[in-house]
Amino acid sequence: MKSDAVKKGMQQAPHRSLFNALGFTKEEMDKPLVGIVSSYNEIVPGHMNLDKIVEAVKMGVAMAGGVPREFPAIAVCDGIAMGHEGMKYSLVTRDLIADSTECMALAHQFDALVMVPNCDKNVPGLLMAAARINVPTIFVSGGPMLAGHVKGQKRSLSSMFEAVGSYAAGTMSEEDVCEFENKVCPTCGSCSGMYTANSMNCLTEVLGMGLAGNGTIPAVYSDRLKLAKHAGMQVMELLKKNIRPRDIMTREAIMNALTVDMALGCSTNSMLHLPAIAHEVGFDFEIGFANDVSEKTPNLCHLAPAGPTYMEDLNEAGGVYAVMKELTKLNLLNLDCMTCTGKTVGENIAGAVNKNHEVIRPVEDPYSATGGLAVLKGNIAPDGSVVKQSAVAPEMLVHEGPARVFECEEDAIAAIKGGRIMAGDVVVIRYEGPKGGPGMREMLNPTSAIAGMGLGSSVALITDGRFSGASRGASIGHVSPEAAVGGPVALIEEGDIIQINIPEKTLNVAVSDEVLEQRRAAWEPKEPNVTTGYLSRYAQMVTSGARGAILQMPR
């Protein structure tokens, strides 16, 4: 056992004395040491129940003959961090989580790990750590929030942000906003639509790192506790069989995840996280893969914000396995990939059934013949940009309009809510990329303001920042190269005509190459927004959004 390095032999007598200080018995010293990585805290709604999940995991580990020991991982609530400087600290935690988990796991020589994340950056951060540490590992998330109910309709956090925009437009009263405020987030759990947290928890199932239901069983259901116990027991089976993360998270498994991403209509943030996870297993993931996969993968789900269904509905319809089973009709998945069940993907999903064809469309009757995401390229984004095409109004799939240019998110929000953005405009928000932000802030506030003010079918937004999974509309993010490194988005001027063609996968500004070169010659880098602390170090090390915003030492 790996933990023998701290438990066995005369040289380890000092180590054993410290285990004695922890109250370890001789019987425990002879058993595998299993680390339980808990993202529990009291500020993130998606994490406030993780103490119960962790206790259930510990029980499962102990029942199966292991010794569980808990240690923490940090977590940021993107909703609370949204729209102010706190959002600079969201994406950057992914790497802190991966690094700190690597440190704890290897410093203490755990034999196996159970990861207990839930929201946004915790899931990819811990998947990255699992790949690095490469001891038998399983995931069990905290589960999604139940949808809220407002005036007889199911609602979620994206509805709340859009309500603020409607209030600014004068189409919603303060009393109505207050009702939304008190009802859209009714329980603990990751917010109830197919936002980033739920996207990544579902993709963890597809990757083979979580048991069935990991992404969809609601946080408040007792089945979530049963799942946690089974995860604790199953990690001991993985240890016995020596099945490790790099045996599971192969190139083929990651491509399976990208395929199911397209069918589910996942958050655009998956196009940051899948490349980063792939990087940890030595697979060079190009975001351009998305278009090839999208061309042959139908979009089967329109979960909020793209449609009126929620995670609880997906769970009742058969969950992620039912979506995967639909895709096997078109031979779109590699069924031979090993998973944390000790069985292959094909064996896992053999009995899956699609129980609701309104929630999970059959492949014969998809929402669209192509997948949920698209990568656009052109003279604005030579290295690519990302759009959730399944959440774009049909009339905005091809759009041309004048650029309204803003150097930060706050200025754009003021203009939108101040009524200065008109139908047909293209809002350009730059210097919000991984380096320029720094931290690549999500733009849920401006996209929600656009939707709430009734401009969702007439105004587009492009940025070198990114979008919340709760964003909808013609919202094009991850524009690369970013403005801070002199990418073409830095050269756009007020009134330039922006040309968006999502079916053709293009994003251009109607300005000649000669004029762009003249502007480039006159362009001067902006002074860094942050010069001290973690954000400053992050800005120096982070790469392009097109590469998953992974960290590399500056050259």
Side-chain angles (χ1 to χ4, degrees):
M1 291 188 294
K2 190 178 183 72
S3 62
D4 287 351
V6 292
K7 292 191 303 186
K8 301 291 184 182
M10 185 55 64
Q11 290 297 318
Q12 281 65 45
H15 305 71
R16 290 195 295 275
S17 72
L18 293 167
F19 282 110
N20 285 330
L22 291 170
F24 269 49
T25 65
K26 182 182 184 303
E27 291 81 3
E28 287 176 307
M29 294 289 283
D30 292 333
K31 294 179 179 179
L33 186 61
V34 180
I36 316 298
V37 187
S38 171
S39 299
Y40 169 77
N41 64 48
E42 295 182 334
I43 190 62
V44 182
H47 292 226
M48 63 182 283
N49 66 319
L50 294 192
D51 56 339
K52 307 297 189 298
I53 302 295
V54 166
E55 287 305 311
V57 168
K58 288 179 181 177
M59 189 176 296
V61 169
M63 284 192 293
V67 179
R69 279 298 178 268
E70 177 185 348
F71 64 88
I74 63 169
V76 165
C77 175
D78 279 19
I80 295 173
M82 194 70 64
H84 54 87
E85 68 172 352
M87 182 45 69
K88 295 177 184 288
Y89 287 90
S90 170
L91 178 61
V92 304
T93 64
R94 184 187 71 184
D95 296 274
L96 280 175
I97 291 161
D99 292 348
S100 60
T101 302
E102 174 192 354
C103 291
M104 287 293 289
L106 295 179
H108 300 99
Q109 294 291 286
F110 287 103
D111 295 300
L113 296 167
V114 182
M115 308 292 199
V116 187
N118 210 24
C119 292
D120 294 273
K121 311 311 159 305
N122 297 84
V123 184
L126 291 178
L127 285 166
M128 291 162 66
R132 287 185 204 169
I133 300 160
N134 204 36
V135 298
T137 301
I138 197 168
F139 278 63
V140 56
S141 78
M145 184 183 291
L146 293 177
H149 290 80
V150 183
K151 301 186 189 304
Q153 291 185 311
K154 286 185 177 182
R155 297 291 189 178
S156 63
L157 184 65
S158 54
S159 308
M160 183 72 253
F161 277 90
E162 290 178 15
V164 175
S166 297
Y167 176 75
T171 58
M172 186 176 284
S173 69
E174 185 174 347
E175 290 76 18
D176 284 338
V177 173
C178 186
E179 183 177 6
F180 271 76
E181 181 181 330
N182 286 300
K183 292 182 177 179
V184 297
C185 296
T187 69
C188 62
S190 48
C191 296
S192 57
M194 187 53 81
Y195 310 150
T196 306
N198 293 325
S199 294
M200 294 310 302
N201 283 324
C202 287
L203 296 185
T204 297
E205 267 189 69
V206 183
L207 284 169
M209 292 297 292
L211 299 175
N214 178 72
T216 61
I217 297 172
V220 295
Y221 283 14
S222 297
D223 278 351
R224 177 63 55 178
L225 297 177
K226 295 177 185 178
L227 183 73
K229 291 174 187 175
H230 284 133
M233 290 185 274
Q234 185 59 27
V235 80
M236 299 304 295
E237 287 298 310
L238 294 174
L239 181 60
K240 288 176 187 174
K241 296 175 180 177
N242 196 29
I243 298 174
R244 305 183 182 207
R246 290 182 207 163
D247 300 323
I248 295 171
M249 290 192 285
T250 60
R251 182 190 193 281
E252 292 75 19
I254 291 168
M255 294 306 292
N256 277 352
L258 180 58
T259 300
V260 178
D261 183 324
M262 294 297 172
L264 284 171
C266 289
S267 164
T268 52
N269 281 314
S270 63
M271 297 306 295
L272 284 173
H273 302 320
L274 287 177
I277 295 162
H279 176 74
E280 296 292 344
V281 298
F283 168 34
D284 189 10
F285 184 104
E286 296 284 343
I287 64 169
F289 292 163
N291 288 343
D292 295 335
V293 172
S294 178
E295 281 301 311
K296 57 188 179 183
T297 307
N299 178 229
L300 306 181
C301 299
H302 265 193
L303 295 146
T309 53
Y310 294 81
M311 295 305 297
E312 63 204 65
D313 302 312
L314 179 59
N315 188 62
E316 295 301 323
V320 174
Y321 278 14
V323 177
M324 296 174 74
K325 187 65 176 293
E326 284 289 343
L327 295 176
T328 63
K329 296 177 183 178
L330 300 176
N331 296 316
L332 293 176
L333 298 177
N334 186 313
L335 301 181
D336 296 325
C337 295
M338 178 52 60
T339 73
C340 67
T341 66
K343 300 177 181 178
T344 64
V345 168
E347 291 172 313
N348 286 345
I349 68 174
V353 176
N354 180 357
K355 301 174 184 176
N356 188 330
H357 289 186
E358 293 302 311
V359 177
I360 305 171
R361 290 278 187 91
V363 294
E364 298 86 1
D365 181 32
Y367 281 102
S368 65
T370 55
L373 301 181
V375 172
L376 314 184
K377 292 189 176 184
N379 65 359
I380 294 176
D383 294 342
S385 60
V386 182
V387 63
K388 188 172 183 176
Q389 62 183 352
S390 60
V392 178
E395 57 268 35
M396 290 298 291
L397 290 171
V398 177
H399 180 75
E400 187 171 300
R404 305 298 309 280
V405 181
F406 302 94
E407 308 298 293
C408 66
E409 178 190 6
E410 289 82 357
D411 290 350
I413 292 170
I416 296 164
K417 291 186 175 179
R420 303 198 302 275
I421 301 301
M422 304 299 167
D425 287 347
V426 178
V427 176
V428 178
I429 306 177
R430 60 192 182 193
Y431 293 100
E432 290 284 7
K435 287 183 180 291
M440 205 176 185
R441 287 194 289 181
E442 288 184 341
M443 302 291 159
L444 180 56
N445 273 355
T447 59
S448 298
I450 287 169
M453 296 187 75
L455 297 170
S457 59
S458 61
V459 169
L461 191 156
I462 69 173
T463 180
D464 52 7
R466 61 195 178 95
F467 295 108
S468 164
S471 292
R472 62 186 176 98
S475 304
I476 301 165
H478 307 201
V479 170
S480 301
E482 63 176 289
V485 298
V489 69
L491 310 178
I492 296 172
E493 294 184 356
E494 186 80 9
D496 284 349
I497 298 301
I498 307 296
Q499 300 166 330
I500 299 166
N501 192 318
I502 295 174
E504 296 295 326
K505 310 296 188 292
T506 59
L507 177 64
N508 289 292
V509 57
V511 174
S512 69
D513 292 345
E514 291 76 17
V515 170
L516 285 176
E517 283 306 313
Q518 290 170 10
R519 293 180 184 179
R520 183 178 302 283
W523 176 80
E524 293 183 0
K526 271 183 70 174
E527 289 296 314
N529 291 331
V530 179
T531 57
T532 60
Y534 177 59
L535 284 182
S536 177
R537 297 196 301 276
Y538 181 88
Q540 293 175 49
M541 297 175 67
V542 70
T543 61
S544 164
R547 297 188 59 203
I550 60 173
L551 299 187
Q552 290 188 335
M553 292 298 293
R555 294 177 180 175

